[in-house]
Amino acid sequence: MLKEIERISTRGKSILEKDFGLVYVTKKEVLENGKNPHPIFLIPKENPSIFSKIDSHSELENVKKEIGISYENFIDRFYDFFERVEKQLDKKTLESFEIIGNILRNRKKKLEKSLKKFEIENEWTVENMRVEFFYKVQKNLEDILSSTLTPIQNGIRENSSYEGIVTEMNTFLKELGVYTEKIEAGEKIEDYDIFEPESCEECKTGDVSKRDEIREVVSYPYLTNGDEDIPVLAGKVFVWQIQH
């Protein structure tokens, strides 16, 4: 009988979510940090980097518009999702959503200013133009991610509503050809260029076999999918520190 009630309840929830756009928020017991981030932060390596499209001045202007529109759409989707779950959020989560929304809107102004002010120099080749423009945009993306990831990562351990924010952010990043590199605790770091090891008192060990081994992954590295996968934001990890 209980299984039948659960089946009907699950089916009803599915219909309401699919046909009426409703979102159900569930609270979770606060758990200790796991050794790896929530899998929802994984973005597959699918779309090519938007920066690889730049092969002329006119195409640069098109890419500028595309990035601006993509980010604006992301903010719109965020607020659409916020509106659908708002009545289910407790005070703490509601305030967190409002802060994240303010950050996203504030960064929109900065991104638009960066895109508008970027100009090419006469002696630049197409490759110079592409690289210089990437680093201009990368600073903005790094700022957006580093400003929002911590509250989202903390919140997602307690409340399922944050998963909706990550989904919308992943869509935006995917449109730019950004993906996350999956790595897990226990693996060895082979490329320190895409990781930012953090200090950790509990990471000290006398076991030399753990050299360069990850004790805990705080956040995945975000990279562009191109000829060279360049970091947009370095992944944060705790690495075992060998004591002699």
Side-chain angles (χ1 to χ4, degrees):
M1 184 67 175
L2 288 174
K3 287 185 179 180
E4 181 63 16
I5 292 172
E6 184 179 352
R7 186 188 68 80
I8 293 171
S9 175
T10 302
R11 183 170 177 271
K13 177 182 172 183
S14 177
I15 290 171
L16 289 171
E17 288 179 331
K18 183 178 179 181
D19 296 343
F20 295 92
L22 299 181
V23 178
Y24 286 87
V25 173
T26 56
K27 291 185 178 181
K28 309 173 184 178
E29 287 188 23
V30 180
L31 304 174
E32 292 298 317
N33 282 325
K35 296 297 182 183
N36 301 298
H38 192 294
I40 200 170
F41 288 100
L42 289 170
I43 304 174
K45 187 177 182 178
E46 293 177 345
N47 299 337
S49 166
I50 194 171
F51 304 99
S52 63
K53 293 182 179 180
I54 301 172
D55 56 11
S56 65
H57 182 269
S58 60
E59 193 56 42
L60 170 64
E61 294 304 313
N62 290 335
V63 168
K64 282 184 181 181
K65 291 176 185 176
E66 199 172 332
I67 292 172
I69 291 170
S70 188
Y71 188 66
E72 188 171 352
N73 289 341
F74 165 41
I75 294 177
D76 289 343
R77 291 194 308 271
F78 167 81
Y79 278 104
D80 177 64
F81 176 74
F82 189 1
E83 185 177 337
R84 286 187 286 149
V85 300
E86 186 172 4
K87 292 182 179 179
Q88 301 179 65
L89 304 181
D90 57 34
K91 184 180 178 181
K92 178 183 175 183
T93 308
L94 187 64
E95 289 176 352
S96 179
F97 267 56
E98 289 171 346
I99 290 170
I100 292 169
N102 288 336
I103 290 172
L104 295 179
R105 284 192 294 197
N106 177 267
R107 297 317 190 265
K108 178 176 181 286
K109 295 175 185 176
K110 292 183 178 181
L111 177 61
E112 287 175 341
K113 186 176 180 180
S114 291
L115 295 175
K116 186 176 181 180
K117 289 183 68 176
F118 182 81
E119 294 182 356
I120 62 173
E121 297 184 13
N122 293 330
E123 69 274 14
W124 281 359
T125 63
V126 168
E127 185 62 24
N128 290 143
M129 181 169 55
R130 190 181 292 163
V131 170
E132 293 296 329
F133 181 65
F134 163 75
Y135 282 113
K136 177 66 72 173
V137 176
Q138 180 267 336
K139 289 178 182 178
N140 287 271
L141 296 178
E142 182 179 42
D143 185 23
I144 292 165
L145 286 167
S146 59
S147 300
T148 56
L149 274 180
T150 298
I152 291 172
Q153 286 176 318
N154 290 338
I156 209 167
R157 295 170 53 233
E158 303 179 26
N159 193 303
S160 68
S161 60
Y162 288 88
E163 295 174 18
I165 303 178
V166 181
T167 298
E168 301 304 345
M169 181 178 285
N170 288 355
T171 297
F172 162 63
L173 294 170
K174 222 185 310 188
E175 288 171 352
L176 304 190
V178 174
Y179 71 98
T180 49
E181 181 76 24
K182 182 179 181 181
I183 191 162
E184 299 182 339
E187 295 183 27
K188 300 277 188 177
I189 292 184
E190 296 180 0
D191 184 1
Y192 273 93
D193 290 340
I194 65 172
F195 288 101
E196 185 180 313
E198 298 196 324
S199 58
C200 167
E201 274 299 317
E202 295 78 21
C203 294
K204 295 174 181 176
T205 179
D207 185 353
V208 294
S209 70
K210 289 186 178 291
R211 188 180 303 278
D212 297 322
E213 183 180 310
I214 297 173
R215 181 180 184 272
E216 181 180 333
V217 181
V218 180
S219 62
Y220 296 120
Y222 288 77
L223 307 160
T224 57
N225 181 14
D227 294 335
E228 295 182 21
D229 293 0
I230 307 172
V232 171
L233 180 71
K236 293 187 177 182
V237 292
F238 292 125
V239 180
W240 288 107
Q241 301 168 17
I242 310 303
Q243 285 189 321
H244 299 287

